[in-house]
Amino acid sequence: MRCVIARYPFDLTKDGVLASMKGITPEPVTGESVTIGRRRYPVKQVGEVITRQDRRDFSSGEVTRAMVRLGFTCHEHPEATPAASPLTPFENASQLLGSTTTADV
């Protein structure tokens, strides 16, 4: 499939992208990402590998559009881990000292 990334036309195929990303270790995901095979890569890393251009030359939106058109699953943001409920200073101190409940103190 022909797509334009950073004003340059590329003929990309799903098999070609899979072959290009084979053996590449995914960087930590902090923004948009693409699932390729069983791994989740940052969009900018995928764009850099498949276009051989600097990451500053293209936007993540350009690469995301191309990956979606090729049939890859794209994600907006990394999955957030649920935050622990905030503890009061007293509950925090009790937990640090080994008490299981605040009634024990």
Side-chain angles (χ1 to χ4, degrees), residues 46 51 60 63-64 73 90-91 97-98:
V46 174
T51 65
S60 59
V63 178
T64 300
T73 304
F90 179 75
E91 291 170 333
L97 293 172

Side-chain angles (χ1 to χ4, degrees), residues 77-95:
H77 301 290
E79 292 149 3
T81 57
S85 62
L87 299 175
T88 65
F90 179 75
E91 291 170 333
N92 190 28
S94 295
Q95 227 178 29

Side-chain angles (χ1 to χ4, degrees), residues 1-6 8-12 50-53:
M1 174 189 56
R2 190 171 189 87
C3 57
V4 176
I5 300 174
Y8 292 100
F10 292 94
D11 288 320
L12 299 175
I50 63 174
T51 65
R52 297 185 188 106
Q53 293 182 342

Side-chain angles (χ1 to χ4, degrees), residues 36-100:
I36 298 176
R38 290 180 289 173
R39 294 183 171 181
R40 197 164 169 179
Y41 295 90
V43 170
K44 289 280 197 168
Q45 181 183 12
V46 174
E48 183 178 46
V49 171
I50 63 174
T51 65
R52 297 185 188 106
Q53 293 182 342
D54 191 274
R55 295 176 188 209
R56 295 171 290 181
D57 293 341
F58 55 85
S59 71
S60 59
E62 292 174 304
V63 178
T64 300
R65 278 190 296 275
M67 294 298 106
V68 167
R69 287 177 58 196
L70 287 171
F72 292 104
T73 304
C74 296
H75 311 275
E76 286 291 319
H77 301 290
E79 292 149 3
T81 57
S85 62
L87 299 175
T88 65
F90 179 75
E91 291 170 333
N92 190 28
S94 295
Q95 227 178 29
L96 291 172
L97 293 172
S99 178
T100 56

